[in-house]
Amino acid sequence: MLPSADQERGEAVEIWDAEGLRTMAADPFGAYLLVADIDMSGEAWTPFAFHGSLDGDGHSILNLTVGETGTAVKETYDGNMKVYDTYFAGFFDEMEGAQVRNLNLINLRIDVETDLPCFIGGITGYMADSTIENCEVQGNLQLRAHDRMFGVGGIIGYGFGDVKDSKADVTLVCIDTDASTKDEQFMGGVCAAGYPNINGCDVAISGFDSDHGYVHDGGLVGMYILYPKGTQYKGSITDNYVTGKITFFEDNKNRRAYCNGFIGEIMNWNFENGRNKDDFVRDEVFTYDVDLVPHACENPVMQEEVTAPGCEFGYTTYVCETCGYRETDHYTLKVHDYDWTILKEADLEEEGLREGVCKLCGETAQESIPKVSPEPTADPEQAADDGAGSIGDSGSEDLDAAGEGVNDEGMTAPKVSTGLIIVLMVLVICVVFSIIGIIRFLKI
């Protein structure tokens, strides 16, 4: 039995930054808790297999970029039950027996080109017996491939498991790079191919599919198929909403051109299907010599509009003056105006803790307070030097314990007050000036 959410939070390793995210690969069966938003700009990321639990706690990972598949190789099945050894890319390349909840991937950028069978997905390229709950994927995913079996999914590339109460606001691009070979291509706002349960999800999809084989495109799932052959399973696809458009071409004389608002092609109807709504456009193109992409302006002139961060993330909007195309990129972390309260004072042994409440939006945050640094200890030899003194040119007189001088014969000399010396010098000067005044008077 999987542990409860409260148990996982109590045992979870806290993740504060990019390095913390990378350490999950060393223990992929562990429990992890995101405790801050993380900006992955300029940070290298290689997908890895994950079998543990990750609770984002409502936090976001910004600007994650993926440019290669991971090392996981799994079997995938096309509509004719042909089997392919397939590679994967996403935040994870593989999730098996795993849980991811309350996590947002904002401005995710996946761009993979390969000559091998491949699936990419926002959170994971491949999923088996796993759960994704209350998550959001917002970004751009692109795959260029040609080897018989490949596809793009907004949240999952290929597989089965549960996706519930999640959002996908994604631009998906799939380009077949070899017109001489026929392939099976898949695209879905949640999952490209497989038999996931999808419940209570909102999907906004902008899809572009250029294929010289067979197209299977859907607002939720490209192809719903039970695998391997003989698998018995009662699935569930309910209470979902899909909006957007998939623009595609299928360069194939033996055309199928599956593209629908919920599921492109249904190979098995054994699932609950109800209360799904869509505002979806199927846009088929019949010219095949130009790859379909989001921005195809011949003379683009891009202008930048910067939105500064505050209680929401900052970002830059790029607008083409020629055709009106718009996209957002380069997100920046929120900047709250906190009132801080000390929850625990730091000391020499332990860090402290403070909690802040944003004056503008009420957002709360906690930060550790560094340990108190110990006071510097004086060097005994230096202290002895600072306490030593001399009187006269010989330097032979020291101070005894009472602060009096000790001469070379060991006799104690009286301690002379600095103030007394100054008074005597003033008196001497006054006497000298008095004598000089008397002499001048007598001469007169």
Side-chain angles (χ1 to χ4, degrees), residues 311-341:
C311 294
E312 301 295 334
F313 297 121
Y315 56 89
T316 300
T317 303
Y318 296 89
V319 182
C320 179
E321 289 187 347
T322 306
C323 68
Y325 171 79
R326 301 172 64 91
E327 72 167 343
T328 57
D329 199 356
H330 303 112
Y331 278 67
T332 53
L333 294 171
K334 300 174 184 177
V335 180
H336 291 287
D337 185 8
Y338 289 114
D339 273 333
W340 292 100
T341 302

PDB file of all heavy atoms in Angstrom, residues 311-341:
ATOM      1  N   CYS A 311       3.514  39.692  -7.033  1.00  0.00           N
ATOM      2  CA  CYS A 311       2.873  38.530  -6.401  1.00  0.00           C
ATOM      3  C   CYS A 311       2.598  37.417  -7.413  1.00  0.00           C
ATOM      4  O   CYS A 311       2.145  36.337  -7.043  1.00  0.00           O
ATOM      5  CB  CYS A 311       1.582  38.958  -5.713  1.00  0.00           C
ATOM      6  SG  CYS A 311       1.865  40.059  -4.303  1.00  0.00           S
ATOM      7  N   GLU A 312       2.838  37.699  -8.686  1.00  0.00           N
ATOM      8  CA  GLU A 312       2.813  36.685  -9.739  1.00  0.00           C
ATOM      9  C   GLU A 312       4.175  36.657 -10.419  1.00  0.00           C
ATOM     10  O   GLU A 312       4.972  37.590 -10.278  1.00  0.00           O
ATOM     11  CB  GLU A 312       1.721  36.989 -10.778  1.00  0.00           C
ATOM     12  CG  GLU A 312       0.306  37.053 -10.201  1.00  0.00           C
ATOM     13  CD  GLU A 312      -0.170  35.717  -9.654  1.00  0.00           C
ATOM     14  OE1 GLU A 312       0.330  34.674 -10.123  1.00  0.00           O
ATOM     15  OE2 GLU A 312      -1.040  35.718  -8.759  1.00  0.00           O
ATOM     16  N   PHE A 313       4.441  35.573 -11.149  1.00  0.00           N
ATOM     17  CA  PHE A 313       5.711  35.466 -11.852  1.00  0.00           C
ATOM     18  C   PHE A 313       5.831  36.565 -12.912  1.00  0.00           C
ATOM     19  O   PHE A 313       4.843  36.957 -13.533  1.00  0.00           O
ATOM     20  CB  PHE A 313       5.841  34.097 -12.530  1.00  0.00           C
ATOM     21  CG  PHE A 313       5.854  32.951 -11.574  1.00  0.00           C
ATOM     22  CD1 PHE A 313       4.893  31.956 -11.651  1.00  0.00           C
ATOM     23  CD2 PHE A 313       6.834  32.840 -10.603  1.00  0.00           C
ATOM     24  CE1 PHE A 313       4.899  30.886 -10.775  1.00  0.00           C
ATOM     25  CE2 PHE A 313       6.851  31.770  -9.718  1.00  0.00           C
ATOM     26  CZ  PHE A 313       5.874  30.800  -9.799  1.00  0.00           C
ATOM     27  N   GLY A 314       7.035  37.044 -13.117  1.00  0.00           N
ATOM     28  CA  GLY A 314       7.290  37.919 -14.243  1.00  0.00           C
ATOM     29  C   GLY A 314       7.554  37.103 -15.495  1.00  0.00           C
ATOM     30  O   GLY A 314       7.823  35.903 -15.428  1.00  0.00           O
ATOM     31  N   TYR A 315       7.486  37.736 -16.650  1.00  0.00           N
ATOM     32  CA  TYR A 315       7.733  37.042 -17.908  1.00  0.00           C
ATOM     33  C   TYR A 315       7.908  38.067 -19.016  1.00  0.00           C
ATOM     34  O   TYR A 315       7.634  39.267 -18.841  1.00  0.00           O
ATOM     35  CB  TYR A 315       6.591  36.080 -18.254  1.00  0.00           C
ATOM     36  CG  TYR A 315       5.235  36.733 -18.306  1.00  0.00           C
ATOM     37  CD1 TYR A 315       4.744  37.301 -19.479  1.00  0.00           C
ATOM     38  CD2 TYR A 315       4.438  36.787 -17.161  1.00  0.00           C
ATOM     39  CE1 TYR A 315       3.501  37.906 -19.524  1.00  0.00           C
ATOM     40  CE2 TYR A 315       3.194  37.394 -17.185  1.00  0.00           C
ATOM     41  CZ  TYR A 315       2.724  37.953 -18.364  1.00  0.00           C
ATOM     42  OH  TYR A 315       1.495  38.568 -18.398  1.00  0.00           O
ATOM     43  N   THR A 316       8.383  37.578 -20.147  1.00  0.00           N
ATOM     44  CA  THR A 316       8.522  38.423 -21.326  1.00  0.00           C
ATOM     45  C   THR A 316       7.594  37.899 -22.423  1.00  0.00           C
ATOM     46  O   THR A 316       7.591  36.700 -22.712  1.00  0.00           O
ATOM     47  CB  THR A 316       9.967  38.441 -21.838  1.00  0.00           C
ATOM     48  OG1 THR A 316      10.822  38.945 -20.806  1.00  0.00           O
ATOM     49  CG2 THR A 316      10.099  39.332 -23.067  1.00  0.00           C
ATOM     50  N   THR A 317       6.804  38.794 -22.998  1.00  0.00           N
ATOM     51  CA  THR A 317       5.932  38.447 -24.113  1.00  0.00           C
ATOM     52  C   THR A 317       6.582  38.911 -25.409  1.00  0.00           C
ATOM     53  O   THR A 317       7.024  40.063 -25.514  1.00  0.00           O
ATOM     54  CB  THR A 317       4.553  39.107 -23.969  1.00  0.00           C
ATOM     55  OG1 THR A 317       3.967  38.718 -22.723  1.00  0.00           O
ATOM     56  CG2 THR A 317       3.626  38.692 -25.106  1.00  0.00           C
ATOM     57  N   TYR A 318       6.632  38.008 -26.370  1.00  0.00           N
ATOM     58  CA  TYR A 318       7.193  38.321 -27.679  1.00  0.00           C
ATOM     59  C   TYR A 318       6.047  38.399 -28.685  1.00  0.00           C
ATOM     60  O   TYR A 318       5.267  37.447 -28.822  1.00  0.00           O
ATOM     61  CB  TYR A 318       8.212  37.268 -28.090  1.00  0.00           C
ATOM     62  CG  TYR A 318       9.411  37.228 -27.176  1.00  0.00           C
ATOM     63  CD1 TYR A 318       9.415  36.428 -26.036  1.00  0.00           C
ATOM     64  CD2 TYR A 318      10.528  38.018 -27.427  1.00  0.00           C
ATOM     65  CE1 TYR A 318      10.510  36.408 -25.186  1.00  0.00           C
ATOM     66  CE2 TYR A 318      11.626  38.002 -26.586  1.00  0.00           C
ATOM     67  CZ  TYR A 318      11.609  37.195 -25.469  1.00  0.00           C
ATOM     68  OH  TYR A 318      12.694  37.187 -24.615  1.00  0.00           O
ATOM     69  N   VAL A 319       5.944  39.528 -29.361  1.00  0.00           N
ATOM     70  CA  VAL A 319       4.839  39.765 -30.297  1.00  0.00           C
ATOM     71  C   VAL A 319       5.418  40.065 -31.669  1.00  0.00           C
ATOM     72  O   VAL A 319       6.286  40.933 -31.818  1.00  0.00           O
ATOM     73  CB  VAL A 319       3.969  40.945 -29.826  1.00  0.00           C
ATOM     74  CG1 VAL A 319       2.796  41.143 -30.785  1.00  0.00           C
ATOM     75  CG2 VAL A 319       3.482  40.721 -28.401  1.00  0.00           C
ATOM     76  N   CYS A 320       4.933  39.328 -32.672  1.00  0.00           N
ATOM     77  CA  CYS A 320       5.363  39.576 -34.045  1.00  0.00           C
ATOM     78  C   CYS A 320       4.516  40.704 -34.640  1.00  0.00           C
ATOM     79  O   CYS A 320       3.287  40.573 -34.759  1.00  0.00           O
ATOM     80  CB  CYS A 320       5.228  38.318 -34.898  1.00  0.00           C
ATOM     81  SG  CYS A 320       5.729  38.556 -36.630  1.00  0.00           S
ATOM     82  N   GLU A 321       5.167  41.792 -35.005  1.00  0.00           N
ATOM     83  CA  GLU A 321       4.445  42.922 -35.580  1.00  0.00           C
ATOM     84  C   GLU A 321       3.853  42.590 -36.948  1.00  0.00           C
ATOM     85  O   GLU A 321       2.870  43.188 -37.367  1.00  0.00           O
ATOM     86  CB  GLU A 321       5.383  44.127 -35.717  1.00  0.00           C
ATOM     87  CG  GLU A 321       5.766  44.771 -34.396  1.00  0.00           C
ATOM     88  CD  GLU A 321       6.556  46.048 -34.605  1.00  0.00           C
ATOM     89  OE1 GLU A 321       7.005  46.286 -35.747  1.00  0.00           O
ATOM     90  OE2 GLU A 321       6.727  46.809 -33.638  1.00  0.00           O
ATOM     91  N   THR A 322       4.446  41.619 -37.624  1.00  0.00           N
ATOM     92  CA  THR A 322       3.988  41.288 -38.971  1.00  0.00           C
ATOM     93  C   THR A 322       2.693  40.488 -38.966  1.00  0.00           C
ATOM     94  O   THR A 322       1.743  40.803 -39.692  1.00  0.00           O
ATOM     95  CB  THR A 322       5.071  40.499 -39.726  1.00  0.00           C
ATOM     96  OG1 THR A 322       6.303  41.222 -39.693  1.00  0.00           O
ATOM     97  CG2 THR A 322       4.654  40.244 -41.166  1.00  0.00           C
ATOM     98  N   CYS A 323       2.651  39.426 -38.119  1.00  0.00           N
ATOM     99  CA  CYS A 323       1.492  38.521 -38.171  1.00  0.00           C
ATOM    100  C   CYS A 323       0.678  38.475 -36.886  1.00  0.00           C
ATOM    101  O   CYS A 323      -0.382  37.846 -36.855  1.00  0.00           O
ATOM    102  CB  CYS A 323       1.947  37.112 -38.530  1.00  0.00           C
ATOM    103  SG  CYS A 323       2.936  36.319 -37.237  1.00  0.00           S
ATOM    104  N   GLY A 324       1.171  39.093 -35.814  1.00  0.00           N
ATOM    105  CA  GLY A 324       0.423  39.109 -34.561  1.00  0.00           C
ATOM    106  C   GLY A 324       0.665  37.926 -33.647  1.00  0.00           C
ATOM    107  O   GLY A 324       0.062  37.827 -32.573  1.00  0.00           O
ATOM    108  N   TYR A 325       1.539  37.009 -34.036  1.00  0.00           N
ATOM    109  CA  TYR A 325       1.842  35.853 -33.183  1.00  0.00           C
ATOM    110  C   TYR A 325       2.392  36.313 -31.840  1.00  0.00           C
ATOM    111  O   TYR A 325       3.203  37.236 -31.761  1.00  0.00           O
ATOM    112  CB  TYR A 325       2.849  34.950 -33.888  1.00  0.00           C
ATOM    113  CG  TYR A 325       3.398  33.844 -33.016  1.00  0.00           C
ATOM    114  CD1 TYR A 325       2.656  32.699 -32.775  1.00  0.00           C
ATOM    115  CD2 TYR A 325       4.663  33.958 -32.427  1.00  0.00           C
ATOM    116  CE1 TYR A 325       3.150  31.687 -31.982  1.00  0.00           C
ATOM    117  CE2 TYR A 325       5.171  32.950 -31.634  1.00  0.00           C
ATOM    118  CZ  TYR A 325       4.414  31.819 -31.403  1.00  0.00           C
ATOM    119  OH  TYR A 325       4.909  30.821 -30.609  1.00  0.00           O
ATOM    120  N   ARG A 326       1.958  35.632 -30.761  1.00  0.00           N
ATOM    121  CA  ARG A 326       2.415  35.973 -29.414  1.00  0.00           C
ATOM    122  C   ARG A 326       2.870  34.727 -28.680  1.00  0.00           C
ATOM    123  O   ARG A 326       2.261  33.665 -28.813  1.00  0.00           O
ATOM    124  CB  ARG A 326       1.290  36.629 -28.595  1.00  0.00           C
ATOM    125  CG  ARG A 326       0.727  37.900 -29.176  1.00  0.00           C
ATOM    126  CD  ARG A 326      -0.501  38.355 -28.406  1.00  0.00           C
ATOM    127  NE  ARG A 326      -0.176  38.715 -27.025  1.00  0.00           N
ATOM    128  CZ  ARG A 326       0.155  39.938 -26.638  1.00  0.00           C
ATOM    129  NH1 ARG A 326       0.216  40.927 -27.523  1.00  0.00           N
ATOM    130  NH2 ARG A 326       0.412  40.203 -25.377  1.00  0.00           N
ATOM    131  N   GLU A 327       3.938  34.850 -27.905  1.00  0.00           N
ATOM    132  CA  GLU A 327       4.330  33.792 -26.994  1.00  0.00           C
ATOM    133  C   GLU A 327       5.046  34.388 -25.798  1.00  0.00           C
ATOM    134  O   GLU A 327       5.608  35.482 -25.872  1.00  0.00           O
ATOM    135  CB  GLU A 327       5.224  32.746 -27.668  1.00  0.00           C
ATOM    136  CG  GLU A 327       6.626  33.201 -27.987  1.00  0.00           C
ATOM    137  CD  GLU A 327       7.528  32.038 -28.364  1.00  0.00           C
ATOM    138  OE1 GLU A 327       7.168  30.891 -28.070  1.00  0.00           O
ATOM    139  OE2 GLU A 327       8.593  32.291 -28.939  1.00  0.00           O
ATOM    140  N   THR A 328       4.991  33.670 -24.674  1.00  0.00           N
ATOM    141  CA  THR A 328       5.660  34.121 -23.462  1.00  0.00           C
ATOM    142  C   THR A 328       6.862  33.228 -23.180  1.00  0.00           C
ATOM    143  O   THR A 328       6.862  32.037 -23.489  1.00  0.00           O
ATOM    144  CB  THR A 328       4.714  34.100 -22.253  1.00  0.00           C
ATOM    145  OG1 THR A 328       4.183  32.781 -22.088  1.00  0.00           O
ATOM    146  CG2 THR A 328       3.574  35.076 -22.454  1.00  0.00           C
ATOM    147  N   ASP A 329       7.887  33.824 -22.580  1.00  0.00           N
ATOM    148  CA  ASP A 329       9.125  33.102 -22.291  1.00  0.00           C
ATOM    149  C   ASP A 329       9.832  33.826 -21.138  1.00  0.00           C
ATOM    150  O   ASP A 329       9.406  34.875 -20.675  1.00  0.00           O
ATOM    151  CB  ASP A 329      10.004  33.071 -23.545  1.00  0.00           C
ATOM    152  CG  ASP A 329      11.081  31.979 -23.494  1.00  0.00           C
ATOM    153  OD1 ASP A 329      11.197  31.305 -22.452  1.00  0.00           O
ATOM    154  OD2 ASP A 329      11.787  31.813 -24.499  1.00  0.00           O
ATOM    155  N   HIS A 330      10.922  33.228 -20.674  1.00  0.00           N
ATOM    156  CA  HIS A 330      11.807  33.848 -19.684  1.00  0.00           C
ATOM    157  C   HIS A 330      11.046  34.316 -18.440  1.00  0.00           C
ATOM    158  O   HIS A 330      11.008  35.503 -18.102  1.00  0.00           O
ATOM    159  CB  HIS A 330      12.581  35.016 -20.308  1.00  0.00           C
ATOM    160  CG  HIS A 330      13.371  34.612 -21.512  1.00  0.00           C
ATOM    161  ND1 HIS A 330      13.062  35.036 -22.782  1.00  0.00           N
ATOM    162  CD2 HIS A 330      14.451  33.794 -21.640  1.00  0.00           C
ATOM    163  CE1 HIS A 330      13.909  34.519 -23.646  1.00  0.00           C
ATOM    164  NE2 HIS A 330      14.763  33.755 -22.981  1.00  0.00           N
ATOM    165  N   TYR A 331      10.451  33.367 -17.766  1.00  0.00           N
ATOM    166  CA  TYR A 331       9.724  33.665 -16.537  1.00  0.00           C
ATOM    167  C   TYR A 331      10.693  33.958 -15.399  1.00  0.00           C
ATOM    168  O   TYR A 331      11.811  33.436 -15.355  1.00  0.00           O
ATOM    169  CB  TYR A 331       8.820  32.485 -16.167  1.00  0.00           C
ATOM    170  CG  TYR A 331       7.512  32.492 -16.930  1.00  0.00           C
ATOM    171  CD1 TYR A 331       7.489  32.282 -18.306  1.00  0.00           C
ATOM    172  CD2 TYR A 331       6.309  32.725 -16.292  1.00  0.00           C
ATOM    173  CE1 TYR A 331       6.306  32.296 -19.018  1.00  0.00           C
ATOM    174  CE2 TYR A 331       5.106  32.736 -16.989  1.00  0.00           C
ATOM    175  CZ  TYR A 331       5.111  32.524 -18.351  1.00  0.00           C
ATOM    176  OH  TYR A 331       3.926  32.542 -19.054  1.00  0.00           O
ATOM    177  N   THR A 332      10.259  34.820 -14.477  1.00  0.00           N
ATOM    178  CA  THR A 332      11.081  35.177 -13.327  1.00  0.00           C
ATOM    179  C   THR A 332      10.295  34.946 -12.043  1.00  0.00           C
ATOM    180  O   THR A 332       9.060  35.007 -12.027  1.00  0.00           O
ATOM    181  CB  THR A 332      11.529  36.645 -13.400  1.00  0.00           C
ATOM    182  OG1 THR A 332      10.377  37.484 -13.590  1.00  0.00           O
ATOM    183  CG2 THR A 332      12.496  36.857 -14.559  1.00  0.00           C
ATOM    184  N   LEU A 333      11.021  34.681 -10.961  1.00  0.00           N
ATOM    185  CA  LEU A 333      10.401  34.321  -9.694  1.00  0.00           C
ATOM    186  C   LEU A 333       9.609  35.485  -9.102  1.00  0.00           C
ATOM    187  O   LEU A 333       9.914  36.657  -9.330  1.00  0.00           O
ATOM    188  CB  LEU A 333      11.469  33.874  -8.695  1.00  0.00           C
ATOM    189  CG  LEU A 333      12.201  32.573  -9.044  1.00  0.00           C
ATOM    190  CD1 LEU A 333      13.365  32.356  -8.095  1.00  0.00           C
ATOM    191  CD2 LEU A 333      11.245  31.378  -9.006  1.00  0.00           C
ATOM    192  N   LYS A 334       8.603  35.154  -8.324  1.00  0.00           N
ATOM    193  CA  LYS A 334       7.779  36.154  -7.655  1.00  0.00           C
ATOM    194  C   LYS A 334       8.615  36.991  -6.684  1.00  0.00           C
ATOM    195  O   LYS A 334       9.615  36.512  -6.137  1.00  0.00           O
ATOM    196  CB  LYS A 334       6.640  35.472  -6.887  1.00  0.00           C
ATOM    197  CG  LYS A 334       5.700  34.657  -7.760  1.00  0.00           C
ATOM    198  CD  LYS A 334       4.705  33.895  -6.911  1.00  0.00           C
ATOM    199  CE  LYS A 334       3.811  32.997  -7.769  1.00  0.00           C
ATOM    200  NZ  LYS A 334       2.888  32.191  -6.943  1.00  0.00           N
ATOM    201  N   VAL A 335       8.180  38.220  -6.491  1.00  0.00           N
ATOM    202  CA  VAL A 335       8.833  39.116  -5.535  1.00  0.00           C
ATOM    203  C   VAL A 335       7.749  39.633  -4.586  1.00  0.00           C
ATOM    204  O   VAL A 335       7.018  40.571  -4.910  1.00  0.00           O
ATOM    205  CB  VAL A 335       9.538  40.292  -6.239  1.00  0.00           C
ATOM    206  CG1 VAL A 335      10.203  41.198  -5.204  1.00  0.00           C
ATOM    207  CG2 VAL A 335      10.567  39.779  -7.241  1.00  0.00           C
ATOM    208  N   HIS A 336       7.640  39.018  -3.407  1.00  0.00           N
ATOM    209  CA  HIS A 336       6.632  39.413  -2.427  1.00  0.00           C
ATOM    210  C   HIS A 336       7.194  40.463  -1.474  1.00  0.00           C
ATOM    211  O   HIS A 336       8.408  40.582  -1.288  1.00  0.00           O
ATOM    212  CB  HIS A 336       6.169  38.192  -1.624  1.00  0.00           C
ATOM    213  CG  HIS A 336       5.369  37.203  -2.424  1.00  0.00           C
ATOM    214  ND1 HIS A 336       4.079  37.437  -2.824  1.00  0.00           N
ATOM    215  CD2 HIS A 336       5.687  35.976  -2.902  1.00  0.00           C
ATOM    216  CE1 HIS A 336       3.623  36.395  -3.508  1.00  0.00           C
ATOM    217  NE2 HIS A 336       4.585  35.498  -3.569  1.00  0.00           N
ATOM    218  N   ASP A 337       6.294  41.217  -0.864  1.00  0.00           N
ATOM    219  CA  ASP A 337       6.667  42.190   0.168  1.00  0.00           C
ATOM    220  C   ASP A 337       6.236  41.618   1.518  1.00  0.00           C
ATOM    221  O   ASP A 337       5.095  41.747   1.937  1.00  0.00           O
ATOM    222  CB  ASP A 337       5.964  43.527  -0.107  1.00  0.00           C
ATOM    223  CG  ASP A 337       6.402  44.613   0.863  1.00  0.00           C
ATOM    224  OD1 ASP A 337       7.354  44.379   1.635  1.00  0.00           O
ATOM    225  OD2 ASP A 337       5.800  45.700   0.851  1.00  0.00           O
ATOM    226  N   TYR A 338       7.184  40.945   2.189  1.00  0.00           N
ATOM    227  CA  TYR A 338       6.847  40.179   3.385  1.00  0.00           C
ATOM    228  C   TYR A 338       7.001  40.990   4.669  1.00  0.00           C
ATOM    229  O   TYR A 338       7.913  41.811   4.808  1.00  0.00           O
ATOM    230  CB  TYR A 338       7.752  38.951   3.500  1.00  0.00           C
ATOM    231  CG  TYR A 338       7.485  37.858   2.499  1.00  0.00           C
ATOM    232  CD1 TYR A 338       8.438  37.532   1.534  1.00  0.00           C
ATOM    233  CD2 TYR A 338       6.299  37.139   2.525  1.00  0.00           C
ATOM    234  CE1 TYR A 338       8.204  36.512   0.618  1.00  0.00           C
ATOM    235  CE2 TYR A 338       6.062  36.118   1.608  1.00  0.00           C
ATOM    236  CZ  TYR A 338       7.017  35.816   0.664  1.00  0.00           C
ATOM    237  OH  TYR A 338       6.790  34.812  -0.241  1.00  0.00           O
ATOM    238  N   ASP A 339       6.111  40.741   5.615  1.00  0.00           N
ATOM    239  CA  ASP A 339       6.319  41.062   7.026  1.00  0.00           C
ATOM    240  C   ASP A 339       6.822  39.785   7.695  1.00  0.00           C
ATOM    241  O   ASP A 339       6.141  38.747   7.651  1.00  0.00           O
ATOM    242  CB  ASP A 339       5.007  41.510   7.678  1.00  0.00           C
ATOM    243  CG  ASP A 339       4.769  43.000   7.521  1.00  0.00           C
ATOM    244  OD1 ASP A 339       5.761  43.744   7.403  1.00  0.00           O
ATOM    245  OD2 ASP A 339       3.593  43.409   7.513  1.00  0.00           O
ATOM    246  N   TRP A 340       7.992  39.867   8.333  1.00  0.00           N
ATOM    247  CA  TRP A 340       8.624  38.661   8.872  1.00  0.00           C
ATOM    248  C   TRP A 340       8.414  38.546  10.379  1.00  0.00           C
ATOM    249  O   TRP A 340       8.473  39.539  11.105  1.00  0.00           O
ATOM    250  CB  TRP A 340      10.119  38.649   8.570  1.00  0.00           C
ATOM    251  CG  TRP A 340      10.431  38.484   7.119  1.00  0.00           C
ATOM    252  CD1 TRP A 340      10.774  39.470   6.232  1.00  0.00           C
ATOM    253  CD2 TRP A 340      10.418  37.269   6.370  1.00  0.00           C
ATOM    254  NE1 TRP A 340      10.966  38.947   4.981  1.00  0.00           N
ATOM    255  CE2 TRP A 340      10.763  37.592   5.038  1.00  0.00           C
ATOM    256  CE3 TRP A 340      10.155  35.949   6.692  1.00  0.00           C
ATOM    257  CZ2 TRP A 340      10.852  36.633   4.031  1.00  0.00           C
ATOM    258  CZ3 TRP A 340      10.236  34.987   5.688  1.00  0.00           C
ATOM    259  CH2 TRP A 340      10.575  35.331   4.382  1.00  0.00           C
ATOM    260  N   THR A 341       8.176  37.328  10.821  1.00  0.00           N
ATOM    261  CA  THR A 341       8.061  37.004  12.242  1.00  0.00           C
ATOM    262  C   THR A 341       9.045  35.887  12.566  1.00  0.00           C
ATOM    263  O   THR A 341       9.094  34.875  11.856  1.00  0.00           O
ATOM    264  CB  THR A 341       6.634  36.544  12.603  1.00  0.00           C
ATOM    265  OG1 THR A 341       5.713  37.576  12.261  1.00  0.00           O
ATOM    266  CG2 THR A 341       6.518  36.235  14.085  1.00  0.00           C
TER     267      THR A 341
END
